[in-house]
Amino acid sequence: MTGTKAPFRPRTPGHVGMYVCGVTVYDLCHIGHARSAIVFDVLRRYLEAKGLAVIYVRNFTDIDDKIIARAARDGIGWRDVAERFIVEYHRDMDALGVLRATVEPKATDHIPDMLALIAGLVEKGMAYAEGGDVYYRVAGFPRYGRLSGRRLDQLQAGARVEVDEKKHDPLDFALWKTSKPGEPTWDSLWGPGRPGWHIECSAMAMAHLGQTIDLHGGGQDLTFPHHENEIAQSEGYTGMEFSRCWMHNGFVTINEEKMSKSLGNFFTIREILDKSPWDRVVTAEALRYFLLGTHYRGPIDFSDEALRGAKAALDGFYDLLGRLREPEGKSEHGGGNEIARAAIEELERQFAAAMDDDLNTAQALGALHHARAEFNRALGKVVSTGMAQQAEAALTRHGQILGLEFHATRRGQIHEAAAHLGARTTLEAIGTVVGGTMLDGDVARLVEARNAARARKDWAGADVIRKQLADAGVILEDRPDGTTRIKR
RNA sequence: GGCGGCGUACCCAAGUGGCUAAGGGAGCAGUCUGCAAAACUGCGAUGCGGCGGUUCGAACCCGCCCGCCGCCUCCA
């Protein structure tokens, strides 16, 4: 609220009520939506990992001009539009590993709450009715503009021409508006109509989290006027502080420019997942990694190159996890145990320090990479199976806080998985068939044949098989002890 | 016009007064290796848009300038 970082202290120790503005469900989500969802998903995961009980409320705006317009265009009902895109939202966000919120309220389920709020504001003189519409009297709320660092006189000077002459002041905003013919309507004290945009968030936040919430989040573009208006409505009504902490994520840009529909420079989550050369699971994780690689408040520029970089960085973790999990090269008398032990401690410390400092996920990823290098170094000096397990657990535990699941068997672990799964099932479980569908049994036979060739120093023959497997998306890595690591 | 943000190596990026300016990607060299891959080691900004200033000390604070972006209207 003060525009500075401040220690986060929830109202009730050990409990956090957080509200994040979700999406208006009239179209597929783009990566800007993904960023917001992922940032606050990570915040929620981290708070929970710290042992706090989090109630996370993320709404759906399911009544809005754009939904009505879309319904008219598609020739279906507005409720059908909303329902369809809620399903699509979940499809995309599930793919990105965004957890469902504790409560995902829809605006239209809270019309009575909104009406109660509006009525209260009118009673207190904070709002006024005018010909079936109800407006909030901004001038009656002295703190208006504090969140976004604006002053009333400046706003008025710069205000664009308002067509709506029902407003007493151009800055006033609609709490309730008369429906046009054919539009969805609800009955109210001021006649049939529908809610303005801002009131829904106040109503839903208070309905689920009480009159003062611990934390409110959303995209940077919502700071003004949406969140400013939420504060005005809520505090005007309750006389209490609405949210103790505000967090706004920066934009995703394309070629350094904000994504927007008018510029046509936006990517939906769907098309990124569909058009990627990699499997969906791999792409989704790379996208998440990419989005967490920059501090949430700053802008982030999306490009194929950036996504490739994220994927390459993740590959390093997968290679390490494969080495930690394989039984080969482990010994109880290894000299790497101390290195690994120290690295785990360092990771715990650095990761927490980064996350505690305004959710610095970029720095947290740096800590994870440092641990990765240390674990690799330890493996070079040999570690025990127990220490390898601890290292693996440390990596996956911290990865999970960021929503990076290191999905067990993406690459490099097929020989483990294949032991107890049918070959076909394994391929599906792994989810990353890099352009090949060779069955595990065939792979195993070819590896055996190649090793036989190597044993009799038939290098040409061995290389033919290596090539054959490579074409099927299987990469072989020979270990010093003569065994072969299989990656696909 | 008002408000705000950004500019760190080839690319991305953390760091916002004081140890050798994190980390990732790409690159080069070396170790290992039949080859390859992976891994490890080393190299790479005497400098953090430019110029001044404050300070024992600044990428980090102040001033001016240059460049880029966003908000002020629906928008994650």
Side-chain angles (χ1 to χ4, degrees), chain A residues 52 79 84 89 91-92 95 106 115 134 170 173-174 224 247 284 293 306 328 340 369 416 438 442 449 452 459 463:
Chain A
L52 294 157
R79 280 185 192 280
R84 178 188 157 200
Y89 177 91
R91 235 181 99 190
D92 289 336
K106 289 186 282 194
L115 288 171
V134 184
F173 57 91
F224 186 90
M247 288 173 70
E328 292 85 354
H369 273 289
E416 294 293 329
M438 189 178 285
D442 295 335
W459 308 126
D463 288 346

Side-chain angles (χ1 to χ4, degrees), chain A residues 290-302:
Chain A
F290 160 70
L291 290 171
L292 293 175
T294 299
H295 185 88
Y296 77 90
R297 273 189 283 110
I300 185 169
D301 201 55
F302 177 80

Side-chain angles (χ1 to χ4, degrees), chain A residues 110-123 189-190 199 203 237:
Chain A
H110 287 271
I111 303 280
D113 294 323
M114 298 185 217
L115 288 171
L117 264 178
I118 298 170
L121 287 167
V122 171
E123 264 171 48
L189 294 173
W190 311 278
I199 194 68
Y237 178 83

Side-chain angles (χ1 to χ4, degrees), chain A residues 76-98:
Chain A
I76 56 177
W78 63 273
R79 280 185 192 280
D80 299 326
V81 171
E83 265 166 47
R84 178 188 157 200
F85 287 108
I86 287 174
V87 171
E88 303 287 16
Y89 177 91
H90 280 138
R91 235 181 99 190
D92 289 336
M93 294 306 170
D94 288 351
L96 294 177
V98 174

